[in-house]
Amino acid sequence: MTGNIFTSLPKKSATEVFDILLQNKNIKIERIVSQGHTSPAEAWYNQEENEWVLVLEGAGTLLFEDGRQVTLEKGDFLHIPAHIKHKVTWTATDRQTIWLAVHYSSQLD
Amino acid sequence: MTGNIFTSLPKKSATEVFDILLQNKNIKIERIVSQGHTSPAEAWYNQEENEWVLVLEGAGTLLFEDGRQVTLEKGDFLHIPAHIKHKVTWTATDRQTIWLAVHYSSQLD
């Protein structure tokens, strides 16, 4: 339940690394560390839950199914409602990107 | 719904500055900016909701009613269950402390 989000960073990994910082029935807070990773070309995230995402370090680009593309840099946050299809098309390759993601039930809107 | 958590910081203020970044029925995400502010000596926070807090810049000390004292520095996070009484007894005076607080319903545990 307690920790530091900037420590215990993974070494360069073949895949993104997900760490759950808090999980309860209807909320999940996780740290995601990327370095050059992107979503598979054919795959979209289509989540049952709302997501609020904040980039703490690095940078990444999200593509939405409607063609909208958003690059998030350090400090940028964005809300992604449930079932809004999206994927990660770019993350910085020269440094780690640390995302904080808060997933919460769309039953609560 | 979109923004940058490190920009539009308040100038030195007589009180802490709260900005709501996201609010739905059972979740509220806010940025709190402190600089030398503390809770009033006699007052405890006794919240109806659970809170997950992360220090993004600066440092602050929380005191719990059982005497436990925790200083959070950059990157440190902590979960405060609903009705666990606490107060802020110290925040850095030489720089701003930026807290990210996620409040969510204790009905969901």
Side-chain angles (χ1 to χ4, degrees):
Chain A
M1 286 303 202
T2 303
N4 187 291
I5 203 160
F6 297 119
T7 61
S8 305
L9 291 168
K11 294 199 195 306
K12 188 140 176 55
S13 161
T15 57
E16 289 186 306
V17 178
F18 294 76
D19 288 292
I20 294 174
L21 308 180
L22 178 75
Q23 185 156 30
N24 273 292
K25 192 174 167 207
N26 282 331
I27 190 172
K28 181 172 75 173
I29 300 179
E30 63 183 356
R31 178 182 77 175
I32 306 163
V33 180
S34 321
Q35 188 166 359
H37 304 107
T38 59
S39 307
E42 70 283 6
W44 294 92
Y45 287 116
N46 181 5
Q47 300 172 147
E48 296 294 325
E49 303 198 318
N50 296 313
E51 178 174 359
W52 184 86
V53 67
L54 166 66
V55 169
L56 294 172
E57 292 290 346
T61 300
L62 296 174
L63 173 67
F64 294 86
E65 204 184 21
D66 65 3
R68 188 165 53 103
Q69 198 154 315
V70 182
T71 294
L72 301 177
E73 310 215 13
K74 181 177 174 171
D76 288 338
F77 57 84
L78 183 71
H79 187 249
I80 307 171
H83 298 299
I84 296 294
K85 291 185 190 174
H86 61 283
K87 59 171 75 173
V88 178
T89 55
W90 175 81
T91 56
T93 55
D94 60 339
R95 59 199 191 282
Q96 290 186 313
T97 296
I98 304 176
W99 313 75
L100 179 77
V102 179
H103 303 269
Y104 66 98
S105 172
S106 57
Q107 308 300 316
L108 307 179
D109 292 350
Chain B
M1 286 302 201
T2 303
N4 188 292
I5 202 160
F6 296 119
T7 60
S8 304
L9 290 168
K11 294 198 195 307
K12 187 139 175 57
S13 160
T15 56
E16 290 186 306
V17 177
F18 294 76
D19 289 292
I20 294 174
L21 309 180
L22 177 75
Q23 186 156 28
N24 274 291
K25 191 174 168 209
N26 282 331
I27 191 171
K28 181 172 74 172
I29 300 179
E30 64 184 356
R31 179 182 76 176
I32 305 164
V33 180
S34 320
Q35 188 165 358
H37 304 106
T38 59
S39 308
E42 70 282 6
W44 294 93
Y45 287 116
N46 181 6
Q47 300 173 147
E48 295 294 326
E49 304 199 317
N50 296 312
E51 178 175 0
W52 184 86
V53 67
L54 166 65
V55 170
L56 294 172
E57 293 290 347
T61 300
L62 296 174
L63 173 67
F64 293 87
E65 204 184 20
D66 65 4
R68 188 166 52 104
Q69 198 153 315
V70 182
T71 295
L72 301 177
E73 310 215 13
K74 180 177 175 172
D76 288 337
F77 58 83
L78 183 71
H79 187 250
I80 307 171
H83 299 299
I84 296 293
K85 292 186 189 172
H86 61 283
K87 60 171 74 174
V88 177
T89 55
W90 174 81
T91 56
T93 55
D94 59 340
R95 59 200 190 280
Q96 290 185 313
T97 297
I98 304 176
W99 313 75
L100 178 76
V102 179
H103 304 269
Y104 65 99
S105 173
S106 57
Q107 308 300 317
L108 306 179
D109 292 349

